[in-house]
Amino acid sequence: CRMKHFVITLTRQFASNGRPIAQAMSRELGIEFYDRDIVEATAARLGLSVREISDSEDTHSTSFFRSLYPLGTGALSVQDELFQTQSNIIRDLANKESCIIVGRCADAVLRDRTDTLNIRVYAPYEHRLRVCLDQLGMDERTARKMIDRIDKSREQYHREYGGCEPDYYSHVLLNSARFTVPQAAELLCGIARQRFGL
């Protein structure tokens, strides 16, 4: 029998292990995992480099766009176009197949669908600092700066483009400090199976 169609979105705090959890879930559920692929597809559609788009996401600052498109060339409209393009790609992926989509306001973009499970992965600051030092090999100063900067930009991006706080559309909030990555994935897959009757 054909498995029913469903989409899982996952928003996460920086260094909360959200991405590895999503990857483990995609393996366990046998569905596609999309994260950087969306950036690559957006770059291709807009004729920008992946780096330009990644920078814009991580800094989410108008000053970045002013440096890219100076002299009042509508820096903000470029960012709006980026979001529109990514949203279209997210909708296309969600229509095409069951999948897990990480970040990029996918929960807000797909808010009118009933076949979604929206997950928010978070963790206490100290735990995320440990992840940066032990798993990502950062020094402490860099780690603290990255956590603050990326958290802020992701929240701001979600408010501006999702029109809400990052957990607004969440069905499940998971504190990843309480579980290993495989445990968290197993727990969330169990919730997905229940929600979608798999």
Side-chain angles (χ1 to χ4, degrees):
C1 77
R2 200 174 118 59
M3 191 168 76
K4 56 164 59 177
H5 188 101
F6 63 93
V7 181
I8 296 169
T9 72
L10 190 143
T11 63
R12 75 276 184 228
Q13 286 185 315
F14 180 69
S16 65
N17 276 331
R19 191 172 195 271
I21 289 168
Q23 283 172 313
M25 288 177 71
S26 91
R27 284 193 298 272
E28 192 174 325
L29 293 169
I31 58 175
E32 283 300 321
F33 162 88
Y34 294 108
D35 181 11
R36 306 303 297 166
D37 325 66
I38 297 170
V39 176
E40 284 157 22
T42 304
R45 283 195 196 182
L46 292 178
L48 291 168
S49 73
V50 169
R51 191 187 158 119
E52 285 169 329
I53 289 175
S54 299
D55 286 353
S56 82
E57 287 186 329
D58 285 343
T59 53
H60 182 60
S61 72
T62 50
S63 60
F64 167 78
F65 273 95
R66 290 208 184 92
S67 67
L68 248 192
Y69 306 93
L71 304 174
T73 48
L76 285 177
S77 68
V78 175
Q79 190 132 29
D80 293 344
E81 190 185 355
L82 257 183
F83 178 72
Q84 273 320 117
T85 304
Q86 284 197 347
S87 299
N88 292 337
I89 291 166
I90 286 167
R91 286 189 198 98
D92 291 348
L93 293 172
N95 288 332
K96 187 175 71 144
E97 63 191 340
S98 292
C99 58
I100 295 183
I101 301 174
V102 175
R104 302 182 174 80
C105 290
D107 55 341
V109 170
L110 302 175
R111 64 181 168 270
D112 297 329
R113 295 178 71 110
T114 55
D115 59 351
T116 58
L117 173 66
N118 301 324
I119 298 164
R120 169 100 174 136
V121 176
Y122 69 97
Y125 187 92
E126 288 309 314
H127 176 80
R128 296 190 291 138
L129 191 57
R130 284 256 64 86
V131 168
C132 287
L133 303 179
D134 300 345
Q135 290 175 35
L136 305 177
M138 294 180 184
D139 63 82
E140 188 170 336
R141 190 163 161 271
T142 306
R144 287 184 185 278
K145 270 168 64 175
M146 289 282 283
I147 290 172
D148 292 342
R149 182 172 68 82
I150 294 179
D151 275 357
K152 234 183 238 124
S153 73
R154 281 182 185 167
E155 283 168 24
Q156 189 186 345
Y157 187 79
H158 216 286
R159 280 187 207 111
E160 193 165 327
Y161 287 101
C164 58
E165 293 301 317
D167 61 359
Y168 183 80
Y169 291 108
S170 302
H171 300 111
V172 180
L173 298 170
L174 181 99
N175 177 353
S176 61
R178 300 276 176 249
F179 308 94
T180 64
V181 167
Q183 284 171 342
E186 196 181 328
L187 190 68
L188 293 168
C189 285
I191 294 170
R193 288 192 180 101
Q194 218 165 13
R195 177 164 173 81
F196 302 123
L198 306 177

